Amino acid sequence: MDTIIAHRSVDHDLPEPGVAALQEDIDRHLKYSLGKDAAHASIYDWRMSLSLAIRDRIVDPWFASTRRTYELERKRVYYLSLEFLIGRLLGDAAVNLQLDDIARDALANLNVDYETVVHDEPDAALGNGGLGRLAACYLDSLSTLGCPAYGYGIRYEHGLFRQGFEGGRQVESAEAWLSQRNAWEFERPEAAYEIGFGGHVSKENGAAVWHPEETVFASGYDTPIIGWKGRWANTLRLWSAKPTKLFDLQKFNQGDYLAAAETEALARTISRVLYPDDTTGQGKELRLKQEYFFTAASVRDIVRRFKSECSDLRQLPNRVAIQMNDTHPAIAGPELVRILHDDNRMELNEAVDLSQACLSYTNHTLLPEALERWPEDMMRRVLPRHMDLIEHIDARHARQHPGRPAHVAIIEHGAVKMGELAFLTSHRVNGVSALHTRLMKESVFRDLHRLHPDRIVSQTNGVTPRRWLWSCNRPLSRLITETIGEGWVGDLERLDTLTPHTDDPAFLEKFAGAKRQNKIALSNWLKETVGVTADPEAMFDIQIKRIHEYKRQLMNIIETIALWAAIREDPGADWTPRVKIFGGKAAPGYAVAKEVIRLINDVATVINSDPVMEGRLTVVYPPNYNVSMAERLIPAADLSEQISTAGKEASGTGNMKFAMNGAPTIGTLDGANVEIRERVGADNFFLFGLTAEEVERRRQDPDHAREAIEASPQLSRALGLIADGTFSPDEPQRYHGLVDQLYNHDYFLVCSDFDAYYAMQRHVDGVFKSRDTWFHVAAMNTAKVGWFSSDRAIRGYMEEIWEASSAL
Ligand code: F58
């Protein structure tokens, strides 16, 4: 029995009706859904009971939204994404329904602590990083804006791996969020589609018929997504793979138990794991099958829903907008054409045009190694009919554009290029920041852009202020409401009215107070979880994101080493105390990223045990960074590290979250940093480094790294310390490879940007010392970044891409 005693007492004599009703429902669910008596209920039982009681309150608005969409005959948006990095849902649902205070009181009456219950929920980590988290923010905004929409994805049994550190090294273990009941989903056994793979294509009465060799069922699970203030709810439908043939009884009876279960096991592997690779489009057949599996199920569901309302398939683009989140669902084009042409006998070119009018594609990366390409023979083996249709689409495009350069072809040198496929089957293609969109037009899609100059548009990313400000940062949210009134959470550009207050010392004092409160909370959590003391008076300097060479965590840790050396040389100088916080996972197969992780941990060990530091410099790297950890770290940040090599980070979204929470950026002119700086003002952004154009030029110099190292005493010294085994005394040569690579192949220009970075960090030290200036800068960041709400981004998609409107 682990009943938790509430931290605060409740002094209502008579509970408010909302509280009483919720309390009753929690009790009822505890008894009848969980089969537990309050005296024996665990935190899990309370969490389930509260979640079910809250879910009950979502169902009516959910039904009402669906009914209204049918009544108004509205166009629906379908967001197809292989990843939804949702995090926890209980706190979010409670906040959106404005039930969080009521739930807190109801649980307190039952002697249970609300925060403990909320933190008991495992993260739904069905994504790797920014791309998946963006999808989750967009679901929140689609519901908030009352845009009729469905998210479609895969119900992975295992989300992103759990990260641990052993001897500083990343070790991965399986994550199992579904080992507990998922309170939010509704199983939909009636929404099941048979999805085929392999086999052959025959001609019957002039029409192509695909005879798949292997089939699985895609079975739907629905999670309602309630928007801000509970005015609208959409559906996230995740597909789970089930066997079409349950069990081979004959084989079983012959004693061949493994073979008997083979078909079942094969089917289940499709929705078993999220690919943890954010570096390369994995050349794995399973990955292609996952992509086709969820895309085909979604497209079938979309056409079925359309047909339930309208019999004229030519009306499809008026009712259906399908967004492909990167190229993972790019098979949607050929699949829709197949359904329209093969199954519904529409003329082929009409089917191609119609599906193009429904589809659009968001590109999230320019890194060539991350652009998906499938071997043509594998594609033909797994999806023979789709391969025919891709050839048709490609050949038709070649006919329409006789002079097109060879490399814009979808199929080239035995590979199917999914970027080109997505581009040619979409009516709109968008980049995720202004810079990224410009570079897309100039690089990966240069020739396609020339042929189709109206197709590429820009939609700068956004983040939901509900999760990323209102609920994760209560002290600051309260101050904002106290200062500018209510209404800003659903209309974030109102934050701009904070601007005049950023010169008011009394306001800035309160702003500093809110930050301090968050820093104390984080400091306590760090002490409890990793045993490191982080002084809340010090500057909390945070870099959290996937570990990737282009994101340059390596540059950050080298700067940390250089600073450490400088402090040791002159401990009496007036140093600004800093806590450097890192968070993030490396793809399990990404060796260099894993070395960087180990280096950060090794450096932390040495610096944190150096008595000379005495709180002047601390390095912390809590393992297993995820959405919930981000919710703790971001509100407590003083400084946001956005230091990627210019031209490589498509947008970034963490940069927006930090700025919103009053942490100015130290950063390069990359991704959405550019637009953040334009909005907060150059004085309130710590800019350094080469521009995207300068990066390209600098790379032409074969000696760029060596020259930069030789010109920089700080950098040479720091690299020397890494190379001489200062941080790996038991294995001095441990980082020789890493240092060597910097000297000889510093593709991401860590060395060339280092001095500017180091100098800007020292400037930041100076500004931090002047409290008034610092908090003015911090508050200006909060005041000026309302535009980065995902509500603005979704409005942009609705107008410019989907031609969809709100049903509110
Ligand atoms: C990210 N991409 C971008 N990809 O790197 C980031 O700049 C941007 O803000 C964000 O998308 C949202 O637009 C990203 O997260 C992945 O994780 C893929 C997972 C599957 C394999 C290829 C990378």
PDB file of all heavy atoms in Angstrom, residues 83 128-132 134 275 277-281 287 325-326 328 362-365 370 432 461 546 550-551 648-653, ligand 1:
ATOM      1  N   GLU A  83       6.161   9.409 -36.622  1.00  0.00           N
ATOM      2  CA  GLU A  83       6.542   9.708 -35.241  1.00  0.00           C
ATOM      3  C   GLU A  83       5.590  10.720 -34.606  1.00  0.00           C
ATOM      4  O   GLU A  83       5.235  11.722 -35.231  1.00  0.00           O
ATOM      5  CB  GLU A  83       7.970  10.293 -35.206  1.00  0.00           C
ATOM      6  CG  GLU A  83       8.989   9.408 -35.906  1.00  0.00           C
ATOM      7  CD  GLU A  83      10.433   9.783 -35.581  1.00  0.00           C
ATOM      8  OE1 GLU A  83      10.659  10.732 -34.803  1.00  0.00           O
ATOM      9  OE2 GLU A  83      11.325   9.108 -36.115  1.00  0.00           O
ATOM     10  N   ASN A 128      11.752  10.266 -32.356  1.00  0.00           N
ATOM     11  CA  ASN A 128      13.181  10.418 -32.081  1.00  0.00           C
ATOM     12  C   ASN A 128      13.539  11.792 -31.550  1.00  0.00           C
ATOM     13  O   ASN A 128      14.380  11.931 -30.673  1.00  0.00           O
ATOM     14  CB  ASN A 128      13.980  10.190 -33.367  1.00  0.00           C
ATOM     15  CG  ASN A 128      14.215   8.720 -33.627  1.00  0.00           C
ATOM     16  OD1 ASN A 128      14.957   8.092 -32.886  1.00  0.00           O
ATOM     17  ND2 ASN A 128      13.582   8.171 -34.650  1.00  0.00           N
ATOM     18  N   GLY A 129      12.938  12.819 -32.137  1.00  0.00           N
ATOM     19  CA  GLY A 129      13.354  14.171 -31.770  1.00  0.00           C
ATOM     20  C   GLY A 129      12.396  15.204 -32.321  1.00  0.00           C
ATOM     21  O   GLY A 129      11.172  15.027 -32.255  1.00  0.00           O
ATOM     22  N   GLY A 130      12.959  16.249 -32.913  1.00  0.00           N
ATOM     23  CA  GLY A 130      12.180  17.417 -33.317  1.00  0.00           C
ATOM     24  C   GLY A 130      11.007  17.117 -34.236  1.00  0.00           C
ATOM     25  O   GLY A 130       9.919  17.673 -34.063  1.00  0.00           O
ATOM     26  N   LEU A 131      11.239  16.221 -35.190  1.00  0.00           N
ATOM     27  CA  LEU A 131      10.189  15.919 -36.161  1.00  0.00           C
ATOM     28  C   LEU A 131       8.951  15.319 -35.480  1.00  0.00           C
ATOM     29  O   LEU A 131       7.815  15.683 -35.784  1.00  0.00           O
ATOM     30  CB  LEU A 131      10.783  14.976 -37.204  1.00  0.00           C
ATOM     31  CG  LEU A 131       9.943  14.309 -38.260  1.00  0.00           C
ATOM     32  CD1 LEU A 131      10.809  14.044 -39.470  1.00  0.00           C
ATOM     33  CD2 LEU A 131       9.373  13.001 -37.758  1.00  0.00           C
ATOM     34  N   GLY A 132       9.199  14.407 -34.546  1.00  0.00           N
ATOM     35  CA  GLY A 132       8.092  13.761 -33.840  1.00  0.00           C
ATOM     36  C   GLY A 132       7.421  14.698 -32.850  1.00  0.00           C
ATOM     37  O   GLY A 132       6.204  14.683 -32.680  1.00  0.00           O
ATOM     38  N   LEU A 134       7.298  17.929 -33.124  1.00  0.00           N
ATOM     39  CA  LEU A 134       6.542  18.904 -33.913  1.00  0.00           C
ATOM     40  C   LEU A 134       5.142  18.361 -34.217  1.00  0.00           C
ATOM     41  O   LEU A 134       4.142  19.067 -34.095  1.00  0.00           O
ATOM     42  CB  LEU A 134       7.275  19.217 -35.221  1.00  0.00           C
ATOM     43  CG  LEU A 134       6.642  20.329 -36.050  1.00  0.00           C
ATOM     44  CD1 LEU A 134       6.980  21.686 -35.465  1.00  0.00           C
ATOM     45  CD2 LEU A 134       7.082  20.269 -37.502  1.00  0.00           C
ATOM     46  N   TYR A 275      12.157   3.059 -35.060  1.00  0.00           N
ATOM     47  CA  TYR A 275      13.554   3.097 -35.484  1.00  0.00           C
ATOM     48  C   TYR A 275      14.277   4.224 -34.778  1.00  0.00           C
ATOM     49  O   TYR A 275      13.880   5.373 -34.875  1.00  0.00           O
ATOM     50  CB  TYR A 275      13.647   3.279 -37.009  1.00  0.00           C
ATOM     51  CG  TYR A 275      13.838   1.963 -37.688  1.00  0.00           C
ATOM     52  CD1 TYR A 275      12.732   1.164 -37.952  1.00  0.00           C
ATOM     53  CD2 TYR A 275      15.097   1.491 -38.004  1.00  0.00           C
ATOM     54  CE1 TYR A 275      12.897  -0.069 -38.545  1.00  0.00           C
ATOM     55  CE2 TYR A 275      15.260   0.262 -38.598  1.00  0.00           C
ATOM     56  CZ  TYR A 275      14.157  -0.521 -38.866  1.00  0.00           C
ATOM     57  OH  TYR A 275      14.318  -1.738 -39.455  1.00  0.00           O
ATOM     58  N   ASP A 277      16.976   5.599 -35.343  1.00  0.00           N
ATOM     59  CA  ASP A 277      18.040   6.164 -36.143  1.00  0.00           C
ATOM     60  C   ASP A 277      17.633   7.505 -36.702  1.00  0.00           C
ATOM     61  O   ASP A 277      16.743   7.599 -37.537  1.00  0.00           O
ATOM     62  CB  ASP A 277      18.348   5.219 -37.295  1.00  0.00           C
ATOM     63  CG  ASP A 277      19.692   5.545 -37.897  1.00  0.00           C
ATOM     64  OD1 ASP A 277      20.035   6.729 -37.905  1.00  0.00           O
ATOM     65  OD2 ASP A 277      20.379   4.618 -38.348  1.00  0.00           O
ATOM     66  N   ASP A 278      18.287   8.560 -36.278  1.00  0.00           N
ATOM     67  CA  ASP A 278      17.957   9.845 -36.880  1.00  0.00           C
ATOM     68  C   ASP A 278      19.137  10.334 -37.725  1.00  0.00           C
ATOM     69  O   ASP A 278      19.331  11.506 -37.929  1.00  0.00           O
ATOM     70  CB  ASP A 278      17.534  10.874 -35.837  1.00  0.00           C
ATOM     71  CG  ASP A 278      18.686  11.377 -35.018  1.00  0.00           C
ATOM     72  OD1 ASP A 278      19.746  10.733 -35.045  1.00  0.00           O
ATOM     73  OD2 ASP A 278      18.529  12.409 -34.360  1.00  0.00           O
ATOM     74  N   THR A 279      19.950   9.383 -38.182  1.00  0.00           N
ATOM     75  CA  THR A 279      21.098   9.791 -38.990  1.00  0.00           C
ATOM     76  C   THR A 279      20.915   9.423 -40.452  1.00  0.00           C
ATOM     77  O   THR A 279      21.129  10.225 -41.339  1.00  0.00           O
ATOM     78  CB  THR A 279      22.385   9.119 -38.483  1.00  0.00           C
ATOM     79  OG1 THR A 279      22.155   7.725 -38.378  1.00  0.00           O
ATOM     80  CG2 THR A 279      22.773   9.670 -37.143  1.00  0.00           C
ATOM     81  N   THR A 280      20.515   8.228 -40.698  1.00  0.00           N
ATOM     82  CA  THR A 280      20.395   7.811 -42.095  1.00  0.00           C
ATOM     83  C   THR A 280      19.032   7.165 -42.305  1.00  0.00           C
ATOM     84  O   THR A 280      18.448   6.624 -41.391  1.00  0.00           O
ATOM     85  CB  THR A 280      21.442   6.734 -42.427  1.00  0.00           C
ATOM     86  OG1 THR A 280      21.271   5.650 -41.522  1.00  0.00           O
ATOM     87  CG2 THR A 280      22.833   7.278 -42.323  1.00  0.00           C
ATOM     88  N   GLY A 281      18.530   7.262 -43.527  1.00  0.00           N
ATOM     89  CA  GLY A 281      17.336   6.497 -43.840  1.00  0.00           C
ATOM     90  C   GLY A 281      17.791   5.041 -43.860  1.00  0.00           C
ATOM     91  O   GLY A 281      18.471   4.616 -44.774  1.00  0.00           O
ATOM     92  N   ARG A 287      11.790  -1.243 -42.201  1.00  0.00           N
ATOM     93  CA  ARG A 287      11.441   0.180 -42.146  1.00  0.00           C
ATOM     94  C   ARG A 287      10.494   0.533 -43.304  1.00  0.00           C
ATOM     95  O   ARG A 287       9.504   1.227 -43.111  1.00  0.00           O
ATOM     96  CB  ARG A 287      12.728   1.002 -42.214  1.00  0.00           C
ATOM     97  CG  ARG A 287      12.554   2.468 -42.387  1.00  0.00           C
ATOM     98  CD  ARG A 287      12.290   3.166 -41.078  1.00  0.00           C
ATOM     99  NE  ARG A 287      12.323   4.614 -41.263  1.00  0.00           N
ATOM    100  CZ  ARG A 287      12.202   5.480 -40.285  1.00  0.00           C
ATOM    101  NH1 ARG A 287      12.039   5.076 -39.048  1.00  0.00           N
ATOM    102  NH2 ARG A 287      12.242   6.765 -40.524  1.00  0.00           N
ATOM    103  N   ASN A 325       4.523  14.078 -43.225  1.00  0.00           N
ATOM    104  CA  ASN A 325       5.554  14.606 -42.344  1.00  0.00           C
ATOM    105  C   ASN A 325       6.878  13.943 -42.722  1.00  0.00           C
ATOM    106  O   ASN A 325       7.161  12.831 -42.323  1.00  0.00           O
ATOM    107  CB  ASN A 325       5.200  14.313 -40.880  1.00  0.00           C
ATOM    108  CG  ASN A 325       6.010  15.167 -39.916  1.00  0.00           C
ATOM    109  OD1 ASN A 325       6.493  16.250 -40.276  1.00  0.00           O
ATOM    110  ND2 ASN A 325       6.154  14.692 -38.690  1.00  0.00           N
ATOM    111  N   ASP A 326       7.643  14.638 -43.506  1.00  0.00           N
ATOM    112  CA  ASP A 326       8.851  14.126 -44.137  1.00  0.00           C
ATOM    113  C   ASP A 326       8.492  13.046 -45.170  1.00  0.00           C
ATOM    114  O   ASP A 326       7.313  12.880 -45.510  1.00  0.00           O
ATOM    115  CB  ASP A 326       9.846  13.608 -43.095  1.00  0.00           C
ATOM    116  CG  ASP A 326      11.281  13.951 -43.509  1.00  0.00           C
ATOM    117  OD1 ASP A 326      11.823  13.250 -44.387  1.00  0.00           O
ATOM    118  OD2 ASP A 326      11.826  14.927 -42.998  1.00  0.00           O
ATOM    119  N   HIS A 328       8.671   9.821 -44.915  1.00  0.00           N
ATOM    120  CA  HIS A 328       8.298   8.485 -44.414  1.00  0.00           C
ATOM    121  C   HIS A 328       6.946   8.007 -44.942  1.00  0.00           C
ATOM    122  O   HIS A 328       6.790   6.824 -45.218  1.00  0.00           O
ATOM    123  CB  HIS A 328       8.359   8.444 -42.884  1.00  0.00           C
ATOM    124  CG  HIS A 328       9.567   9.147 -42.317  1.00  0.00           C
ATOM    125  ND1 HIS A 328       9.547   9.880 -41.157  1.00  0.00           N
ATOM    126  CD2 HIS A 328      10.819   9.245 -42.807  1.00  0.00           C
ATOM    127  CE1 HIS A 328      10.740  10.402 -40.951  1.00  0.00           C
ATOM    128  NE2 HIS A 328      11.533  10.029 -41.933  1.00  0.00           N
ATOM    129  N   THR A 362       6.176  17.991 -46.078  1.00  0.00           N
ATOM    130  CA  THR A 362       7.086  18.841 -45.294  1.00  0.00           C
ATOM    131  C   THR A 362       8.462  18.203 -45.292  1.00  0.00           C
ATOM    132  O   THR A 362       8.604  17.039 -44.928  1.00  0.00           O
ATOM    133  CB  THR A 362       6.607  18.953 -43.832  1.00  0.00           C
ATOM    134  OG1 THR A 362       5.270  19.431 -43.826  1.00  0.00           O
ATOM    135  CG2 THR A 362       7.486  19.909 -43.041  1.00  0.00           C
ATOM    136  N   ASN A 363       9.457  18.986 -45.685  1.00  0.00           N
ATOM    137  CA  ASN A 363      10.834  18.504 -45.646  1.00  0.00           C
ATOM    138  C   ASN A 363      11.479  19.005 -44.347  1.00  0.00           C
ATOM    139  O   ASN A 363      11.310  20.158 -43.962  1.00  0.00           O
ATOM    140  CB  ASN A 363      11.591  19.042 -46.865  1.00  0.00           C
ATOM    141  CG  ASN A 363      13.077  18.762 -46.778  1.00  0.00           C
ATOM    142  OD1 ASN A 363      13.806  19.433 -46.057  1.00  0.00           O
ATOM    143  ND2 ASN A 363      13.531  17.750 -47.490  1.00  0.00           N
ATOM    144  N   HIS A 364      12.200  18.104 -43.654  1.00  0.00           N
ATOM    145  CA  HIS A 364      12.808  18.487 -42.369  1.00  0.00           C
ATOM    146  C   HIS A 364      14.323  18.449 -42.390  1.00  0.00           C
ATOM    147  O   HIS A 364      14.944  18.645 -41.334  1.00  0.00           O
ATOM    148  CB  HIS A 364      12.341  17.559 -41.246  1.00  0.00           C
ATOM    149  CG  HIS A 364      10.887  17.657 -40.944  1.00  0.00           C
ATOM    150  ND1 HIS A 364      10.373  18.521 -40.001  1.00  0.00           N
ATOM    151  CD2 HIS A 364       9.829  16.998 -41.459  1.00  0.00           C
ATOM    152  CE1 HIS A 364       9.066  18.386 -39.940  1.00  0.00           C
ATOM    153  NE2 HIS A 364       8.705  17.463 -40.831  1.00  0.00           N
ATOM    154  N   THR A 365      14.915  18.132 -43.503  1.00  0.00           N
ATOM    155  CA  THR A 365      16.379  18.068 -43.488  1.00  0.00           C
ATOM    156  C   THR A 365      16.968  18.226 -44.877  1.00  0.00           C
ATOM    157  O   THR A 365      16.356  17.833 -45.875  1.00  0.00           O
ATOM    158  CB  THR A 365      16.876  16.736 -42.884  1.00  0.00           C
ATOM    159  OG1 THR A 365      18.297  16.797 -42.770  1.00  0.00           O
ATOM    160  CG2 THR A 365      16.516  15.529 -43.739  1.00  0.00           C
ATOM    161  N   ALA A 370      20.432  11.875 -44.698  1.00  0.00           N
ATOM    162  CA  ALA A 370      19.136  11.652 -44.056  1.00  0.00           C
ATOM    163  C   ALA A 370      17.988  11.629 -45.062  1.00  0.00           C
ATOM    164  O   ALA A 370      16.837  11.433 -44.690  1.00  0.00           O
ATOM    165  CB  ALA A 370      18.897  12.720 -43.002  1.00  0.00           C
ATOM    166  N   VAL A 432      10.807  24.284 -43.090  1.00  0.00           N
ATOM    167  CA  VAL A 432      10.351  24.506 -41.719  1.00  0.00           C
ATOM    168  C   VAL A 432      10.936  25.764 -41.075  1.00  0.00           C
ATOM    169  O   VAL A 432      10.709  26.012 -39.891  1.00  0.00           O
ATOM    170  CB  VAL A 432      10.607  23.251 -40.855  1.00  0.00           C
ATOM    171  CG1 VAL A 432       9.656  22.131 -41.238  1.00  0.00           C
ATOM    172  CG2 VAL A 432      12.061  22.770 -40.963  1.00  0.00           C
ATOM    173  N   ASN A 461       8.386  26.450 -38.168  1.00  0.00           N
ATOM    174  CA  ASN A 461       7.846  25.631 -37.077  1.00  0.00           C
ATOM    175  C   ASN A 461       7.312  26.483 -35.930  1.00  0.00           C
ATOM    176  O   ASN A 461       7.636  27.663 -35.800  1.00  0.00           O
ATOM    177  CB  ASN A 461       8.951  24.737 -36.500  1.00  0.00           C
ATOM    178  CG  ASN A 461       9.311  23.578 -37.418  1.00  0.00           C
ATOM    179  OD1 ASN A 461      10.334  22.937 -37.258  1.00  0.00           O
ATOM    180  ND2 ASN A 461       8.459  23.280 -38.381  1.00  0.00           N
ATOM    181  N   ARG A 546      18.936  15.815 -29.691  1.00  0.00           N
ATOM    182  CA  ARG A 546      19.653  14.618 -30.115  1.00  0.00           C
ATOM    183  C   ARG A 546      21.139  14.933 -30.259  1.00  0.00           C
ATOM    184  O   ARG A 546      21.509  16.049 -30.616  1.00  0.00           O
ATOM    185  CB  ARG A 546      19.084  14.100 -31.440  1.00  0.00           C
ATOM    186  CG  ARG A 546      17.749  13.384 -31.310  1.00  0.00           C
ATOM    187  CD  ARG A 546      17.827  12.190 -30.395  1.00  0.00           C
ATOM    188  NE  ARG A 546      18.521  11.090 -31.042  1.00  0.00           N
ATOM    189  CZ  ARG A 546      17.932  10.006 -31.536  1.00  0.00           C
ATOM    190  NH1 ARG A 546      16.633   9.841 -31.422  1.00  0.00           N
ATOM    191  NH2 ARG A 546      18.636   9.056 -32.111  1.00  0.00           N
ATOM    192  N   TYR A 550      26.420  17.690 -36.314  1.00  0.00           N
ATOM    193  CA  TYR A 550      26.120  19.043 -36.797  1.00  0.00           C
ATOM    194  C   TYR A 550      25.579  19.954 -35.690  1.00  0.00           C
ATOM    195  O   TYR A 550      25.657  21.170 -35.780  1.00  0.00           O
ATOM    196  CB  TYR A 550      25.171  18.997 -38.007  1.00  0.00           C
ATOM    197  CG  TYR A 550      23.694  18.865 -37.697  1.00  0.00           C
ATOM    198  CD1 TYR A 550      22.949  19.962 -37.290  1.00  0.00           C
ATOM    199  CD2 TYR A 550      23.028  17.641 -37.830  1.00  0.00           C
ATOM    200  CE1 TYR A 550      21.592  19.843 -37.013  1.00  0.00           C
ATOM    201  CE2 TYR A 550      21.694  17.505 -37.566  1.00  0.00           C
ATOM    202  CZ  TYR A 550      20.975  18.616 -37.148  1.00  0.00           C
ATOM    203  OH  TYR A 550      19.641  18.493 -36.870  1.00  0.00           O
ATOM    204  N   LYS A 551      25.042  19.351 -34.629  1.00  0.00           N
ATOM    205  CA  LYS A 551      24.508  20.169 -33.524  1.00  0.00           C
ATOM    206  C   LYS A 551      25.629  20.641 -32.592  1.00  0.00           C
ATOM    207  O   LYS A 551      25.425  21.493 -31.739  1.00  0.00           O
ATOM    208  CB  LYS A 551      23.456  19.381 -32.747  1.00  0.00           C
ATOM    209  CG  LYS A 551      22.210  19.061 -33.579  1.00  0.00           C
ATOM    210  CD  LYS A 551      21.223  18.200 -32.800  1.00  0.00           C
ATOM    211  CE  LYS A 551      20.066  17.689 -33.633  1.00  0.00           C
ATOM    212  NZ  LYS A 551      18.984  18.686 -33.815  1.00  0.00           N
ATOM    213  N   LYS A 648      22.697  23.695 -41.367  1.00  0.00           N
ATOM    214  CA  LYS A 648      22.435  22.278 -41.114  1.00  0.00           C
ATOM    215  C   LYS A 648      21.171  22.006 -40.292  1.00  0.00           C
ATOM    216  O   LYS A 648      20.528  20.979 -40.475  1.00  0.00           O
ATOM    217  CB  LYS A 648      23.630  21.641 -40.386  1.00  0.00           C
ATOM    218  CG  LYS A 648      24.905  21.635 -41.193  1.00  0.00           C
ATOM    219  CD  LYS A 648      24.765  20.783 -42.452  1.00  0.00           C
ATOM    220  CE  LYS A 648      25.969  20.889 -43.348  1.00  0.00           C
ATOM    221  NZ  LYS A 648      25.716  20.464 -44.712  1.00  0.00           N
ATOM    222  N   GLU A 649      20.826  22.876 -39.371  1.00  0.00           N
ATOM    223  CA  GLU A 649      19.616  22.651 -38.550  1.00  0.00           C
ATOM    224  C   GLU A 649      18.443  23.244 -39.304  1.00  0.00           C
ATOM    225  O   GLU A 649      18.362  24.471 -39.480  1.00  0.00           O
ATOM    226  CB  GLU A 649      19.779  23.335 -37.191  1.00  0.00           C
ATOM    227  CG  GLU A 649      18.692  23.020 -36.187  1.00  0.00           C
ATOM    228  CD  GLU A 649      18.765  21.571 -35.691  1.00  0.00           C
ATOM    229  OE1 GLU A 649      19.458  21.325 -34.693  1.00  0.00           O
ATOM    230  OE2 GLU A 649      18.124  20.705 -36.324  1.00  0.00           O
ATOM    231  N   ALA A 650      17.519  22.381 -39.746  1.00  0.00           N
ATOM    232  CA  ALA A 650      16.440  22.888 -40.591  1.00  0.00           C
ATOM    233  C   ALA A 650      15.683  24.024 -39.893  1.00  0.00           C
ATOM    234  O   ALA A 650      15.426  25.073 -40.490  1.00  0.00           O
ATOM    235  CB  ALA A 650      15.492  21.758 -40.948  1.00  0.00           C
ATOM    236  N   SER A 651      15.318  23.797 -38.643  1.00  0.00           N
ATOM    237  CA  SER A 651      14.628  24.861 -37.914  1.00  0.00           C
ATOM    238  C   SER A 651      15.070  24.875 -36.453  1.00  0.00           C
ATOM    239  O   SER A 651      15.582  25.848 -35.934  1.00  0.00           O
ATOM    240  CB  SER A 651      13.113  24.649 -37.981  1.00  0.00           C
ATOM    241  OG  SER A 651      12.458  25.370 -36.971  1.00  0.00           O
ATOM    242  N   GLY A 652      14.859  23.722 -35.796  1.00  0.00           N
ATOM    243  CA  GLY A 652      14.979  23.707 -34.344  1.00  0.00           C
ATOM    244  C   GLY A 652      13.628  24.112 -33.782  1.00  0.00           C
ATOM    245  O   GLY A 652      12.882  24.889 -34.407  1.00  0.00           O
ATOM    246  N   THR A 653      13.258  23.537 -32.652  1.00  0.00           N
ATOM    247  CA  THR A 653      12.040  23.953 -31.957  1.00  0.00           C
ATOM    248  C   THR A 653      12.352  24.181 -30.476  1.00  0.00           C
ATOM    249  O   THR A 653      11.689  24.983 -29.819  1.00  0.00           O
ATOM    250  CB  THR A 653      10.928  22.886 -32.102  1.00  0.00           C
ATOM    251  OG1 THR A 653      11.520  21.589 -31.911  1.00  0.00           O
ATOM    252  CG2 THR A 653      10.279  22.937 -33.457  1.00  0.00           C
TER     253      THR A 653
HETATM  254  C1  F58 B   1      14.149  17.794 -37.235  1.00  0.00           C
HETATM  255  N1  F58 B   1      14.339  16.532 -37.886  1.00  0.00           N
HETATM  256  C2  F58 B   1      15.141  18.841 -37.699  1.00  0.00           C
HETATM  257  N2  F58 B   1      14.347  14.251 -37.918  1.00  0.00           N
HETATM  258  O1  F58 B   1      16.464  18.368 -37.516  1.00  0.00           O
HETATM  259  C3  F58 B   1      14.924  20.098 -36.872  1.00  0.00           C
HETATM  260  O2  F58 B   1      15.756  21.131 -37.305  1.00  0.00           O
HETATM  261  C4  F58 B   1      13.472  20.542 -37.004  1.00  0.00           C
HETATM  262  O3  F58 B   1      13.195  21.585 -36.122  1.00  0.00           O
HETATM  263  C5  F58 B   1      12.523  19.398 -36.693  1.00  0.00           C
HETATM  264  O4  F58 B   1      12.837  18.258 -37.478  1.00  0.00           O
HETATM  265  C6  F58 B   1      11.086  19.757 -36.931  1.00  0.00           C
HETATM  266  O5  F58 B   1      10.932  20.314 -38.184  1.00  0.00           O
HETATM  267  C7  F58 B   1      14.176  15.387 -37.206  1.00  0.00           C
HETATM  268  O6  F58 B   1      13.871  15.387 -36.027  1.00  0.00           O
HETATM  269  C8  F58 B   1      14.297  13.004 -37.426  1.00  0.00           C
HETATM  270  O7  F58 B   1      14.295  12.778 -36.239  1.00  0.00           O
HETATM  271  C9  F58 B   1      14.236  11.898 -38.456  1.00  0.00           C
HETATM  272  C10 F58 B   1      13.796  10.592 -37.844  1.00  0.00           C
HETATM  273  C11 F58 B   1      13.765   9.474 -38.860  1.00  0.00           C
HETATM  274  C12 F58 B   1      15.065   9.298 -39.594  1.00  0.00           C
HETATM  275  C13 F58 B   1      15.553  10.585 -40.197  1.00  0.00           C
HETATM  276  C14 F58 B   1      15.567  11.751 -39.175  1.00  0.00           C
END
